[in-house]
Amino acid sequence: MRRRSMLAGVVSTVGGMAVAGAGTAEAKPLGLKDYRLVNLAHVNDPDRTSVYPGDPAFTMSTVTTVPEDGFYLQYVQQGEHTGTHWGAPSHFNEGEPHADELDVEDLFLPAVKIDVRERARRDADYAVSVADLQRWEREHGRIPKEAAIVLWTGWEDRWGTPRFYNQDRSGQMHQPGFSLAAAQWLVDTGRLGRRGALGTDTFSVEPAVDTAYSVSKLLYREHRISLEVLANLAELPETGAHVLVGGTVNRRGSGSPASIYAFVPKR
């Protein structure tokens, strides 16, 4: 029942999630026609998809073909965190909700984008600080409560190459992310409410050198999720968009390979 009600809930929410010309006598609610959809997910391709070290290999094989069987079908084998994906609270914390225990509201969120590409270019281990978030707010306004807060690190341009892993000689990956202090500030100030998400175009929301996954463990409390290995972030504005998170919902799932779409207001 929850899944069948998802589309109706999303359409209703989109219709009322923004107002054109707010503060004027002509203000009107925006409808679906006032938004364009942006795909924030990479295509899953065994020849290009970077899999987190130690995760199951991603394979696809052809089961049937139209000439021989009358229909075309592939057999897909992958972990729940293959390619662009979202993580459920249970991914790192016992007793927190699994993928099938979330609500539709957990998967449809206002979104903001924080561009840290230049800092990440200079320092692959860059950890986004509280000062970075406060600087962003001075320019763009307060981060909406219960939003998807997305880092644009530039790592999406490395997808499908060894540079995405960015491993040193010891095998340690180097990717940027949120510092634990920044994530704690988002929680403590209510900006990351009971629901919400942290997002990134890398493998994880914390820098890869944080092998304790401290930000993920803090994030995955209550109904918060992660959005990882995002794509096409140049098309996501700093403010004003919403993200809709899809994917297979497995019983007791830790997350899912995802189709993630941004509803971006037309300017």
Side-chain angles (χ1 to χ4, degrees), residues 23 111 116-117 127 141 166 196 201 228 238 257:
V116 296
R117 289 175 297 163
N166 198 33
D201 50 4
E228 296 169 338
E238 277 70 22

Side-chain angles (χ1 to χ4, degrees), residues 83-193:
T84 300
H85 64 276
W86 59 276
S90 64
H91 186 38
F92 277 110
N93 297 325
E94 286 284 343
E96 296 292 349
H98 297 283
D100 58 313
E101 295 170 322
L102 294 175
D103 303 315
V104 60
E105 291 84 2
D106 299 310
L107 304 176
F108 188 64
L109 304 166
V112 302
K113 181 180 74 175
I114 301 175
D115 185 353
V116 296
R117 289 175 297 163
E118 186 57 38
R119 295 178 180 87
R121 189 177 297 116
R122 296 194 301 265
D123 179 5
D125 297 323
Y126 189 75
V128 172
S129 67
V130 174
D132 289 328
L133 299 178
Q134 292 173 333
R135 187 181 307 113
W136 185 93
E137 288 197 329
R138 286 195 294 272
E139 182 176 355
H140 300 286
R142 185 181 171 98
I143 295 170
K145 185 179 179 181
E146 300 188 340
I149 305 164
V150 176
L151 290 188
W152 187 17
T153 74
W155 242 249
E156 64 174 278
D157 297 334
R158 302 171 177 234
W159 181 245
T161 74
R163 294 178 62 245
F164 190 84
Y165 293 93
N166 198 33
Q167 292 171 308
D168 60 26
R169 291 182 179 179
S170 72
Q172 172 63 56
M173 289 193 302
H174 297 273
Q175 297 180 342
F178 290 92
S179 69
L180 179 59
Q184 189 69 63
W185 181 78
L186 289 168
V187 171
D188 291 345
T189 60
R191 285 162 171 81
L192 192 62

Side-chain angles (χ1 to χ4, degrees), residues 204-216:
S204 189
V205 293
E206 57 271 303
V209 293
D210 180 0
T211 55
Y213 307 107
S214 59
V215 174
S216 292

Side-chain angles (χ1 to χ4, degrees), residues 222-237:
E222 300 184 0
H223 284 224
R224 304 182 194 122
I225 63 174
S226 64
L227 309 176
E228 296 169 338
V229 196
L230 297 172
N232 301 320
L233 290 180
E235 297 297 314
L236 182 70

Side-chain angles (χ1 to χ4, degrees), residues 6 34 37 43-44 47 51 55 73 81 136 148 164 185 195 209 213 215 221-222 224 245 254 264-265:
M6 175 178 286
D34 298 306
L37 283 178
V43 173
N44 267 358
D47 294 331
V51 176
D55 277 11
L73 180 69
H81 293 248
W136 185 93
F164 190 84
W185 181 78
R195 304 182 192 276
V209 293
Y213 307 107
V215 174
R221 291 180 183 168
E222 300 184 0
R224 304 182 194 122
V245 182
S254 68
V264 178

